[in-house]
Amino acid sequence: MSNIVAIGIQWGDEGKGKIVDLLAPEMDIVARFQGGPNAGHTLVIGDQKTVLNHIPSGILHADTLSLIGNGTVVDPFRLVEEMDMLLDAGVPVYDRLRISDRCQLILPYHRALDAAREAAKGEGKIGTTGRGIGPCYEDKTARRGIRLTDLNAEDLDARLEENLRYVNFMLTEFLHAGPVKRAEVDKALDLARERLLPLAADVPLILHERIKAGARVLFEGAQGSMLDVDHGTYPFVTSSNTVAGAALAGLGVGPGQVDKVLGICKAYTTRVGAGPFPTELYNAEGMDDASGRHMAEKGQEFGATTGRPRRTGWFDAVVVQHAVRINGVTDLAITKLDVLDGLDEVKLCVAYERGGQQLVSIPADCRALDECTPVYETLPGWSETTFGATSLDQLPANAVALLRRIEEVCECPVTMLSTGPDRDHICHL
Ligand code: GDP
Ligand code: IMO
Ligand code: MG
């Protein structure tokens, strides 16, 4: 047995898509267990770039089955668009993809609520991706969500009418926005009936049978641990559990099915959207610093989903240690080492300071986290290029020293190192 949970352990965009795509040929199944079109996972193969929102990052491989689990939220318009993009590129999506009949549908009123709530919050907004993620998960928990299987339910019409009465009251009376029309919702449902229902499946049953027959499964996380609704920088988080434990509930498998937890993180840190970020150096709102600007520019730090510029800062080992604990990370995959090429020195945040005291873990109160200042260790940088390196002996000694220090401080071995966006830019350690 060697099933792997691969998750982001910072604030998302760690390079999960790249790592999952490159591990996929060794796996029989790649499965998404949470999140939805808020995710943007980039795969680069030669001069071809593919960005996936819902579909697992194993989809480009002929012998890998892709599963979308019950823990995810699916927007019919966007998922069909994504399927068509792949079909146009010659990927036989209908042969390779199955969608849990229990997954929740993101409907036009979820997007309308997401937008209206963010607008009403003004300065205090979360900076969501605007994809209706929060409102859809709220409906799931409130037991009024519409799942893929419900498209054929006898009481669908009545449930939708009730949902729309509630949503339109919230939108017009409370949030001062326009109402959502039933016809818009019906368009989404018709599309889901026509294009998604044929792919609906009992995902736990597929997993159970395939695992019994010896299949290897890669559980692909979305977002990152610091965006987890319980363990992240609440309320500046997404609305699902993004931690490794969520892979089980989000697909319907037991704890015994996970052999390895691969924590994916950049050699520095980025965040998109609002919320605390102790090691932040640079952002589009006017915070400036030469090293932070170097990371943003060289790392091309723009959101794969929304195109928003990402905030950048030094590697935060307090964040990664927190992630190692809450996920049971067994291996680290460090990405974007090449982006640090050319910096005179690199820093690691090894603790926080607040009110004259040193903290070695993340405070639960995000206002307290906002008041933390990083305690840095400074290491010498390197002028050589690491771009595209495929083995440790191609790296300058200072880059290797940085990796070794990360392993020591985070108490976890680095077993993969990514040195460029392409599938082939990888060192297995
Ligand atoms: P994900 O959401 O975790 O899958 O990450 P994204 O795709 O949103 O963002 C990661 C970005 O970094 C993408 O543009 C990748 O192509 C790119 N990338 C991934 N690994 C590396 C790397 O090692 N070096 C460089 N320069 N870019 C990388
Ligand atoms: P991947 O899978 C980075 C952030 C948003 C916002 C917060 C809540 O590509 O790593 P939401 O729309 O989920 O309600 O937004 O979470 N966010 C992400 N940031 N990468 C992502 O996904 C993200 N998905 C959501 O920017 O701060
Ligand atoms: Mg992303």
Side-chain angles (χ1 to χ4, degrees):
M1 262 216 315
S2 30
N3 299 332
I4 305 173
V5 177
I7 44 161
I9 57 170
Q10 293 163 322
W11 278 279
D13 302 328
E14 297 90 347
K16 298 175 290 295
K18 178 209 158 133
I19 297 290
V20 170
D21 165 64
L22 92 91
L23 289 174
E26 297 164 34
M27 312 303 292
D28 300 292
I29 299 177
V30 178
R32 278 277 307 269
F33 53 88
Q34 48 71 232
N38 46 351
H41 296 180
T42 314
L43 322 187
V44 178
I45 297 112
D47 55 11
Q48 201 196 334
K49 176 169 147 178
T50 308
V51 178
L52 299 168
N53 300 128
H54 298 87
I55 297 181
S57 301
I59 193 73
L60 301 184
H61 298 275
D63 299 322
T64 309
L65 175 68
S66 288
L67 297 176
I68 296 180
N70 57 275
T72 67
V73 287
V74 164
D75 182 329
F77 292 120
R78 288 196 172 270
L79 176 51
V80 168
E81 202 179 301
E82 206 176 327
M83 286 163 55
D84 285 343
M85 175 267 293
L86 291 166
L87 287 165
D88 286 348
V91 179
V93 176
Y94 281 90
D95 299 339
R96 295 187 192 167
L97 178 68
R98 293 292 175 269
I99 309 168
S100 168
D101 47 10
R102 287 174 162 86
C103 70
Q104 299 280 329
L105 297 179
I106 301 177
L107 295 173
Y109 52 80
H110 295 128
R111 288 197 304 274
L113 273 175
D114 195 354
R117 288 213 187 111
E118 285 282 272
K121 280 203 170 93
E123 284 287 289
K125 70 177 184 203
I126 287 165
T128 72
T129 58
R131 299 285 160 93
I133 306 295
C136 185
Y137 276 116
E138 274 173 50
D139 277 4
K140 170 181 178 171
T141 311
R143 295 165 294 193
R144 57 172 176 257
I146 309 293
R147 302 169 304 163
L148 194 53
T149 190
D150 298 332
L151 289 173
N152 292 326
E154 266 181 27
D155 62 350
L156 178 65
D157 187 63
R159 284 163 60 190
L160 281 171
E161 282 304 311
E162 192 177 325
N163 285 358
L164 269 180
R165 259 206 318 278
Y166 171 70
V167 165
N168 282 335
F169 172 79
M170 293 290 284
L171 283 171
T172 56
E173 301 294 317
F174 193 67
L175 295 164
H176 311 294
V180 171
K181 295 195 177 71
R182 175 67 192 262
E184 273 180 70
V185 179
D186 287 341
K187 243 193 261 172
L189 298 172
D190 289 343
L191 188 64
R193 250 184 228 106
E194 185 198 341
R195 301 287 307 276
L196 305 184
L197 260 190
L199 293 175
D202 184 339
V203 164
L205 183 64
I206 296 177
L207 283 167
H208 180 79
E209 310 248 285
R210 294 287 305 266
I211 291 172
K212 204 164 60 177
R216 295 186 67 186
V217 185
L218 177 50
F219 304 92
E220 176 183 4
Q223 292 79 56
S225 300
M226 295 305 285
L227 290 169
D228 182 278
V229 67
D230 288 297
H231 299 283
T233 46
Y234 191 88
F236 298 97
V237 292
T238 192
S239 298
S240 66
N241 282 116
T242 62
V243 289
L248 310 177
L251 280 158
V253 296
Q257 307 295 5
V258 175
D259 303 293
K260 184 165 146 178
V261 178
L262 181 66
I264 304 168
C265 57
K266 287 174 178 161
Y268 50 100
T269 312
T270 64
R271 175 165 202 170
V272 59
F277 178 179
T279 63
E280 183 169 23
L281 296 172
Y282 176 82
N283 63 42
E285 269 82 59
M287 185 175 193
D288 200 8
D289 170 272
S291 301
R293 197 170 343 112
H294 172 107
M295 294 165 193
E297 287 169 3
K298 194 156 186 192
Q300 296 177 27
E301 295 297 353
F302 293 93
T305 302
T306 57
R308 291 180 292 174
R310 295 175 183 146
R311 304 153 66 189
T312 60
W314 293 118
F315 185 91
D316 188 340
V318 183
V319 159
V320 173
Q321 288 164 339
H322 173 71
V324 167
R325 290 191 290 270
I326 61 178
N327 295 294
V329 174
T330 58
D331 297 69
L332 292 174
I334 304 277
T335 63
K336 302 192 104 164
L337 179 78
D338 55 295
V339 172
L340 300 182
D341 294 353
L343 290 174
D344 292 336
E345 51 184 32
V346 288
K347 294 188 184 185
L348 297 182
C349 166
V350 292
Y352 298 147
E353 216 165 63
R354 177 170 175 259
Q357 283 197 320
Q358 279 219 353
L359 308 182
V360 291
S361 71
I362 310 276
D365 180 348
C366 93
R367 274 164 306 188
L369 185 57
D370 243 344
E371 289 163 13
C372 287
T373 51
V375 178
Y376 284 121
E377 250 180 50
T378 303
L379 283 80
W382 56 91
S383 55
E384 301 90 330
T385 178
T386 66
F387 185 80
T390 51
S391 73
L392 219 51
D393 55 23
Q394 294 168 1
L395 301 181
N398 288 348
V400 178
L402 171 69
L403 295 177
R404 295 299 174 228
R405 190 62 193 136
I406 288 176
E407 287 183 316
E408 262 168 23
V409 175
C410 301
E411 296 182 50
C412 196
V414 176
T415 58
M416 294 175 83
L417 174 68
S418 174
T419 55
D422 198 274
R423 192 189 263 176
D424 298 331
H425 298 155
I426 194 76
C427 308
H428 293 277
L429 312 181

